[in-house]
Amino acid sequence: MEASRYCCGVATEPSALAGLAFSLVGPGKVGSSLAAWAQEAGARLVATAGRGEVGGLRTEGQDLLLVAVPDGAVVEVAAALAGQPQAAVALHTAGSLDAAVLAPLRAGGSAVGSLHPLKAFPHPLLDPAEARGVFFAVDGDLAAQALALRLATTWEAVVAEVPAAARPLYHFAATLAAGGVLTLLATAAEIAARLSLPPAVEHGYLELARGALATATPTGAAPALTGPVVRGDTPTVLRHLAALRTFAPEKLPLAIELARETLRHLDRLHPLSPPHQSLLAALDHLAHQD
């Protein structure tokens, strides 16, 4: 599948998946959501099983076996499912793994693939509108990719192949985009709390983050970078770092490396100005010093 092959703006018809029979392993937040989206478009859910209940699950004659268990459990579940005939296609939703993890199911007649939604699921999101514009990473056998594409098209989503070799770092980057951002917000809130600042400050940081993210575009976040590092304001940055060294020294390496990474992204956009070069030299010196 070409990486540029995608689908958006396709009206979701209630019968778009009519006649598609499927079973779900892993009725958690992701699995329940995708199953609801499929049913809303006309698919029929035949059976649901938790990951500890799959030993006798047979899905032969069905179109899809959707495996939506955590990444660390897919190998175990695939081994258990392999003992019985299964659906024409088996898809897993694990972001860090490629289709090969479901290879044991080929012996039971299944084409295997992956269908990973690049979306946070804080709880089951049952409204199919939640899928619109979401990126789905797929790979695997041609029949599996074809069904993954059909599902994504129905949900008005975006789909492209993310091959096996790219999976670990694709997934790591996803953790940066979601968990990493939240970790930084939690760190900001912790500093405010240590300073005995009012809770309203933490809320302010959250709104600040939302505003900054809103300025990012689908083509990249780098052009939306902001702050004293972006401005090349070395005195302010060094004051920040000096205060951290005194008040929260364990966070100093993180702050230095974040600033250096910001400058690396700026350098990708255009050559660094003399103030930026001076700041980078100061940060490099601090990094080696610490």
Coordinates of all heavy atoms in Angstrom, one line a residue, residues 130-201:
E130 N -15.9 10.0 16.3 CA -14.5 10.1 16.9 C -13.4 9.6 16.0 O -12.3 9.8 16.2 CB -14.5 9.2 18.2 CG -15.4 9.7 19.3 CD -14.8 10.9 20.1 OE1 -13.6 11.2 19.8 OE2 -15.4 11.5 20.9
A131 N -13.8 8.8 14.9 CA -12.8 8.2 14.0 C -12.5 9.2 12.9 O -11.4 9.0 12.2 CB -13.4 6.9 13.4
R132 N -13.3 10.2 12.7 CA -13.0 11.1 11.5 C -11.7 11.7 11.6 O -11.3 12.4 12.6 CB -14.1 12.1 11.4 CG -15.5 11.5 11.0 CD -16.6 12.5 11.0 NE -17.9 11.9 10.9 CZ -19.0 12.4 11.3 NH1 -19.0 13.5 12.0 NH2 -20.1 11.7 11.1
G133 N -10.9 11.6 10.5 CA -9.6 12.2 10.5 C -8.5 11.5 11.3 O -7.3 11.9 11.2
V134 N -8.8 10.4 12.0 CA -7.8 9.7 12.8 C -6.9 8.9 11.8 O -7.4 8.4 10.8 CB -8.5 8.8 13.8 CG1 -7.5 7.8 14.4 CG2 -9.2 9.5 14.8
F135 N -5.6 8.9 12.1 CA -4.7 8.1 11.3 C -4.6 6.7 11.8 O -4.5 6.4 13.0 CB -3.2 8.7 11.4 CG -2.2 7.9 10.7 CD1 -2.1 8.0 9.3 CD2 -1.4 7.0 11.4 CE1 -1.2 7.2 8.6 CE2 -0.5 6.2 10.7 CZ -0.4 6.3 9.3
F136 N -4.7 5.8 10.9 CA -4.6 4.3 11.2 C -3.4 3.8 10.5 O -3.2 3.9 9.2 CB -5.8 3.6 10.7 CG -7.0 3.7 11.6 CD1 -7.9 4.8 11.5 CD2 -7.3 2.7 12.5 CE1 -9.0 4.9 12.3 CE2 -8.4 2.8 13.4 CZ -9.2 3.9 13.3
A137 N -2.5 3.2 11.2 CA -1.3 2.5 10.6 C -1.7 1.1 10.3 O -2.2 0.4 11.2 CB -0.1 2.6 11.6
V138 N -1.4 0.6 9.1 CA -1.7 -0.8 8.7 C -0.4 -1.4 8.1 O 0.5 -0.7 7.7 CB -2.8 -0.8 7.7 CG1 -4.1 -0.1 8.3 CG2 -2.4 -0.2 6.4
D139 N -0.4 -2.7 8.1 CA 0.5 -3.5 7.4 C 0.0 -4.9 7.3 O -1.1 -5.2 7.9 CB 1.9 -3.4 8.0 CG 2.1 -4.4 9.1 OD1 1.2 -4.6 10.0 OD2 3.2 -5.0 9.2
G140 N 0.7 -5.8 6.6 CA 0.3 -7.2 6.6 C -0.1 -7.7 5.2 O 0.3 -7.1 4.2
D141 N -0.8 -8.8 5.2 CA -1.2 -9.5 3.9 C -2.1 -8.6 3.1 O -2.8 -7.8 3.7 CB -1.9 -10.8 4.2 CG -1.0 -11.8 5.0 OD1 0.3 -11.7 4.8 OD2 -1.5 -12.6 5.7
L142 N -2.1 -8.8 1.8 CA -2.9 -7.9 1.0 C -4.4 -7.9 1.4 O -5.1 -6.8 1.4 CB -2.7 -8.3 -0.5 CG -1.4 -7.9 -1.1 CD1 -1.3 -8.4 -2.5 CD2 -1.1 -6.5 -1.0
A143 N -4.9 -9.1 1.6 CA -6.4 -9.1 2.0 C -6.6 -8.4 3.3 O -7.7 -7.8 3.5 CB -6.8 -10.6 2.1
A144 N -5.7 -8.5 4.2 CA -5.8 -7.9 5.5 C -5.8 -6.3 5.3 O -6.6 -5.6 5.9 CB -4.8 -8.3 6.5
Q145 N -4.8 -5.9 4.5 CA -4.7 -4.4 4.3 C -6.0 -3.9 3.6 O -6.4 -2.8 3.8 CB -3.5 -4.1 3.5 CG -2.2 -4.3 4.3 CD -1.0 -3.5 3.7 OE1 -1.1 -2.4 3.4 NE2 0.1 -4.2 3.5
A146 N -6.5 -4.7 2.7 CA -7.7 -4.3 1.9 C -8.9 -4.1 2.9 O -9.6 -3.1 2.8 CB -8.1 -5.3 0.9
L147 N -9.0 -5.0 3.9 CA -10.1 -4.9 4.8 C -9.9 -3.7 5.8 O -10.8 -3.0 6.1 CB -10.3 -6.2 5.6 CG -11.4 -6.2 6.6 CD1 -12.8 -5.7 6.0 CD2 -11.6 -7.5 7.3
A148 N -8.6 -3.5 6.2 CA -8.3 -2.4 7.0 C -8.6 -1.1 6.3 O -9.1 -0.1 6.9 CB -6.8 -2.4 7.4
L149 N -8.3 -1.0 5.0 CA -8.6 0.2 4.2 C -10.1 0.4 4.1 O -10.6 1.5 4.2 CB -8.0 0.0 2.8 CG -8.3 1.2 1.8 CD1 -7.7 2.5 2.3 CD2 -7.8 0.8 0.4
R150 N -10.9 -0.7 4.0 CA -12.3 -0.6 3.9 C -12.9 0.0 5.2 O -13.8 0.9 5.2 CB -12.9 -2.0 3.6 CG -14.5 -1.9 3.5 CD -15.0 -3.4 3.4 NE -16.5 -3.4 3.4 CZ -17.2 -4.5 3.6 NH1 -16.6 -5.7 3.6 NH2 -18.5 -4.4 3.6
L151 N -12.4 -0.5 6.3 CA -12.8 0.0 7.6 C -12.5 1.5 7.8 O -13.4 2.3 8.2 CB -12.2 -0.8 8.8 CG -12.6 -2.3 8.9 CD1 -11.7 -3.0 9.8 CD2 -14.1 -2.4 9.3
A152 N -11.3 1.8 7.5 CA -10.9 3.2 7.7 C -11.7 4.2 6.7 O -12.0 5.3 7.1 CB -9.4 3.4 7.4
T153 N -11.9 3.7 5.5 CA -12.7 4.5 4.6 C -14.1 4.7 5.1 O -14.6 5.9 5.1 CB -12.8 3.8 3.2 OG1 -11.5 3.6 2.7 CG2 -13.6 4.7 2.2
T154 N -14.7 3.7 5.6 CA -16.0 3.8 6.2 C -16.1 4.8 7.4 O -17.0 5.5 7.5 CB -16.5 2.4 6.7 OG1 -16.5 1.5 5.6 CG2 -17.9 2.5 7.4
W155 N -15.0 4.8 8.2 CA -15.0 5.7 9.3 C -14.5 7.1 9.0 O -14.3 7.9 9.9 CB -14.1 5.1 10.4 CG -14.6 3.8 10.9 CD1 -15.8 3.3 11.0 CD2 -13.8 2.7 11.4 NE1 -15.9 2.1 11.5 CE2 -14.7 1.6 11.8 CE3 -12.4 2.5 11.7 CZ2 -14.2 0.4 12.3 CZ3 -12.0 1.3 12.2 CH2 -12.9 0.3 12.5
E156 N -14.2 7.4 7.7 CA -13.7 8.7 7.3 C -12.4 9.0 7.9 O -12.1 10.1 8.3 CB -14.7 9.8 7.6 CG -16.1 9.6 7.0 CD -17.0 10.8 7.2 OE1 -16.7 11.9 7.1 OE2 -18.2 10.5 7.7
A157 N -11.6 8.0 8.0 CA -10.3 8.1 8.6 C -9.2 8.2 7.6 O -9.5 8.2 6.4 CB -10.0 6.9 9.5
V158 N -7.9 8.3 8.0 CA -6.8 8.3 7.2 C -6.0 7.1 7.4 O -5.8 6.7 8.6 CB -5.9 9.6 7.5 CG1 -4.7 9.6 6.6 CG2 -6.7 10.9 7.3
V159 N -5.5 6.4 6.4 CA -4.8 5.2 6.5 C -3.6 5.1 5.6 O -3.6 5.6 4.5 CB -5.7 4.0 6.2 CG1 -6.3 4.0 4.8 CG2 -5.0 2.6 6.5
A160 N -2.5 4.6 6.1 CA -1.3 4.4 5.4 C -0.5 3.2 6.0 O -0.7 2.9 7.2 CB -0.4 5.6 5.3
E161 N 0.3 2.6 5.2 CA 1.1 1.5 5.7 C 2.3 2.0 6.5 O 3.0 2.9 6.1 CB 1.7 0.7 4.5 CG 2.5 -0.5 4.9 CD 2.9 -1.4 3.8 OE1 2.8 -1.0 2.6 OE2 3.5 -2.5 4.0
V162 N 2.5 1.4 7.7 CA 3.7 1.6 8.5 C 4.4 0.3 8.6 O 3.9 -0.6 9.3 CB 3.4 2.2 9.9 CG1 4.6 2.3 10.7 CG2 2.7 3.6 9.7
P163 N 5.5 0.1 7.9 CA 6.1 -1.3 7.8 C 6.7 -1.7 9.1 O 6.9 -0.9 10.0 CB 7.1 -1.1 6.6 CG 7.4 0.3 6.6 CD 6.2 1.1 7.0
A164 N 7.1 -3.0 9.1 CA 7.6 -3.6 10.3 C 8.8 -2.9 10.9 O 8.9 -2.6 12.1 CB 7.9 -5.1 10.0
A165 N 9.8 -2.5 10.0 CA 11.0 -1.9 10.5 C 10.8 -0.6 11.1 O 11.5 -0.2 12.0 CB 12.0 -1.7 9.3
A166 N 9.7 0.1 10.8 CA 9.4 1.4 11.3 C 8.6 1.4 12.6 O 8.4 2.4 13.3 CB 8.7 2.3 10.3
R167 N 8.0 0.2 12.9 CA 7.0 0.2 14.0 C 7.5 0.6 15.4 O 6.9 1.4 16.0 CB 6.5 -1.3 14.1 CG 5.5 -1.6 13.0 CD 4.1 -0.9 13.3 NE 3.2 -1.0 12.1 CZ 1.9 -1.2 12.3 NH1 1.4 -1.3 13.5 NH2 1.2 -1.3 11.2
P168 N 8.7 0.1 15.8 CA 9.1 0.5 17.2 C 9.2 2.1 17.3 O 8.7 2.6 18.3 CB 10.4 -0.2 17.4 CG 10.4 -1.4 16.5 CD 9.6 -0.9 15.3
L169 N 9.9 2.7 16.4 CA 10.1 4.2 16.5 C 8.8 5.0 16.2 O 8.6 6.0 16.7 CB 11.3 4.6 15.7 CG 12.6 4.2 16.2 CD1 13.7 4.7 15.4 CD2 12.8 4.7 17.7
Y170 N 8.0 4.4 15.3 CA 6.7 5.0 15.0 C 5.9 5.1 16.3 O 5.3 6.1 16.7 CB 5.9 4.2 14.0 CG 4.4 4.3 14.0 CD1 3.7 5.4 13.6 CD2 3.7 3.3 14.6 CE1 2.3 5.5 13.6 CE2 2.3 3.4 14.7 CZ 1.6 4.5 14.2 OH 0.3 4.6 14.3
H171 N 5.9 4.0 17.1 CA 5.2 3.9 18.3 C 5.8 4.8 19.4 O 5.1 5.4 20.2 CB 5.1 2.5 18.8 CG 4.0 2.3 19.8 ND1 4.4 1.9 21.1 CD2 2.7 2.4 19.8 CE1 3.3 1.8 21.9 NE2 2.2 2.1 21.1
F172 N 7.2 4.8 19.4 CA 7.8 5.7 20.4 C 7.5 7.1 20.1 O 7.2 7.9 21.1 CB 9.3 5.5 20.3 CG 10.1 6.6 21.0 CD1 10.1 6.6 22.4 CD2 10.8 7.6 20.3 CE1 10.8 7.6 23.1 CE2 11.5 8.6 21.0 CZ 11.5 8.6 22.4
A173 N 7.4 7.5 18.9 CA 7.1 8.9 18.5 C 5.6 9.2 19.0 O 5.3 10.3 19.4 CB 7.2 9.2 17.0
A174 N 4.8 8.2 18.9 CA 3.4 8.4 19.3 C 3.3 8.6 20.8 O 2.5 9.4 21.3 CB 2.6 7.1 19.0
T175 N 4.2 7.9 21.6 CA 4.2 8.1 23.0 C 4.7 9.5 23.4 O 4.3 10.1 24.3 CB 5.1 7.1 23.8 OG1 6.5 7.3 23.4 CG2 4.7 5.7 23.4
L176 N 5.6 10.1 22.5 CA 6.1 11.5 22.7 C 4.9 12.4 22.5 O 4.7 13.4 23.2 CB 7.2 11.8 21.8 CG 8.6 11.2 22.1 CD1 9.6 11.7 21.0 CD2 9.1 11.5 23.5
A177 N 4.2 12.2 21.4 CA 3.1 13.1 21.0 C 2.0 13.1 22.0 O 1.3 14.1 22.2 CB 2.5 12.7 19.6
A178 N 1.8 12.0 22.7 CA 0.7 12.0 23.7 C 1.2 12.0 25.1 O 1.1 13.0 25.9 CB -0.2 10.7 23.5
G179 N 1.8 10.8 25.6 CA 2.3 10.7 26.9 C 3.4 11.7 27.2 O 3.5 12.3 28.3
G180 N 4.3 12.0 26.3 CA 5.4 13.0 26.5 C 4.8 14.3 26.8 O 5.3 15.0 27.7
V181 N 3.8 14.8 26.1 CA 3.3 16.1 26.3 C 2.6 16.2 27.7 O 2.8 17.1 28.4 CB 2.2 16.4 25.2 CG1 1.4 17.7 25.6 CG2 2.9 16.6 23.9
L182 N 1.9 15.1 28.1 CA 1.3 15.1 29.4 C 2.4 15.0 30.5 O 2.2 15.6 31.6 CB 0.4 13.9 29.5 CG -0.9 14.0 28.6 CD1 -1.7 12.7 28.7 CD2 -1.7 15.2 28.9
T183 N 3.4 14.3 30.3 CA 4.5 14.2 31.3 C 5.1 15.6 31.5 O 5.4 16.0 32.6 CB 5.6 13.3 30.8 OG1 5.1 12.0 30.7 CG2 6.8 13.3 31.8
L184 N 5.3 16.4 30.4 CA 5.8 17.8 30.6 C 4.8 18.6 31.3 O 5.2 19.5 32.1 CB 6.1 18.3 29.2 CG 7.3 17.7 28.5 CD1 7.5 18.3 27.1 CD2 8.6 17.9 29.3
L185 N 3.5 18.5 31.0 CA 2.5 19.3 31.8 C 2.5 18.9 33.2 O 2.4 19.8 34.1 CB 1.1 19.0 31.2 CG 0.7 19.8 30.0 CD1 -0.6 19.3 29.4 CD2 0.6 21.3 30.4
A186 N 2.7 17.6 33.5 CA 2.8 17.2 34.9 C 4.0 17.7 35.6 O 4.0 18.1 36.8 CB 2.8 15.6 35.0
T187 N 5.1 17.8 34.9 CA 6.3 18.4 35.4 C 6.1 19.9 35.7 O 6.6 20.4 36.8 CB 7.5 18.2 34.4 OG1 7.7 16.8 34.2 CG2 8.8 18.8 35.0
A188 N 5.5 20.6 34.8 CA 5.2 22.0 35.0 C 4.3 22.2 36.2 O 4.6 23.1 37.1 CB 4.5 22.6 33.8
A189 N 3.3 21.4 36.4 CA 2.4 21.5 37.6 C 3.2 21.2 38.8 O 3.0 21.8 39.9 CB 1.3 20.5 37.4
E190 N 4.1 20.2 38.8 CA 4.9 19.8 40.0 C 5.8 21.0 40.4 O 5.9 21.3 41.6 CB 5.8 18.6 39.7 CG 6.6 18.2 40.9 CD 7.6 17.1 40.5 OE1 7.6 16.6 39.4 OE2 8.4 16.8 41.4
I191 N 6.4 21.7 39.5 CA 7.2 22.9 39.8 C 6.3 24.0 40.5 O 6.7 24.5 41.5 CB 7.9 23.4 38.6 CG1 9.0 22.4 38.1 CG2 8.5 24.8 38.8 CD1 9.6 22.7 36.8
A192 N 5.2 24.2 39.9 CA 4.3 25.2 40.5 C 3.9 24.8 41.9 O 3.8 25.7 42.8 CB 3.0 25.3 39.6
A193 N 3.6 23.5 42.1 CA 3.2 23.1 43.4 C 4.3 23.2 44.4 O 4.1 23.6 45.6 CB 2.7 21.6 43.4
R194 N 5.6 22.9 44.0 CA 6.7 23.1 44.9 C 6.9 24.5 45.3 O 7.4 24.8 46.4 CB 8.0 22.6 44.2 CG 8.1 21.1 44.1 CD 9.5 20.7 43.8 NE 9.7 19.4 43.3 CZ 10.8 18.8 43.0 NH1 11.9 19.5 43.0 NH2 10.9 17.6 42.5
L195 N 6.5 25.4 44.4 CA 6.7 26.9 44.7 C 5.5 27.4 45.5 O 5.4 28.6 45.7 CB 6.8 27.6 43.4 CG 8.0 27.4 42.6 CD1 7.9 28.0 41.2 CD2 9.2 28.0 43.3
S196 N 4.5 26.5 45.8 CA 3.3 26.8 46.6 C 2.5 27.8 45.8 O 1.8 28.7 46.4 CB 3.7 27.4 48.0 OG 4.4 26.4 48.7
L197 N 2.5 27.7 44.5 CA 1.6 28.6 43.7 C 0.2 28.1 43.7 O 0.0 26.9 43.9 CB 2.2 28.7 42.3 CG 3.6 29.3 42.1 CD1 4.0 29.2 40.7 CD2 3.6 30.7 42.6
P198 N -0.8 28.9 43.5 CA -2.2 28.4 43.6 C -2.5 27.5 42.4 O -1.9 27.5 41.4 CB -3.0 29.7 43.4 CG -2.1 30.7 42.8 CD -0.7 30.4 43.2
P199 N -3.5 26.6 42.7 CA -3.9 25.6 41.6 C -4.3 26.3 40.3 O -4.2 25.6 39.2 CB -5.1 24.9 42.2 CG -5.0 25.1 43.7 CD -4.3 26.4 43.9
A200 N -4.7 27.5 40.3 CA -5.0 28.2 39.1 C -3.9 28.3 38.1 O -4.0 28.3 36.9 CB -5.6 29.6 39.3
V201 N -2.6 28.2 38.6 CA -1.5 28.3 37.8 C -1.4 27.0 36.9 O -1.1 27.0 35.7 CB -0.2 28.4 38.6 CG1 1.1 28.3 37.7 CG2 -0.2 29.8 39.3

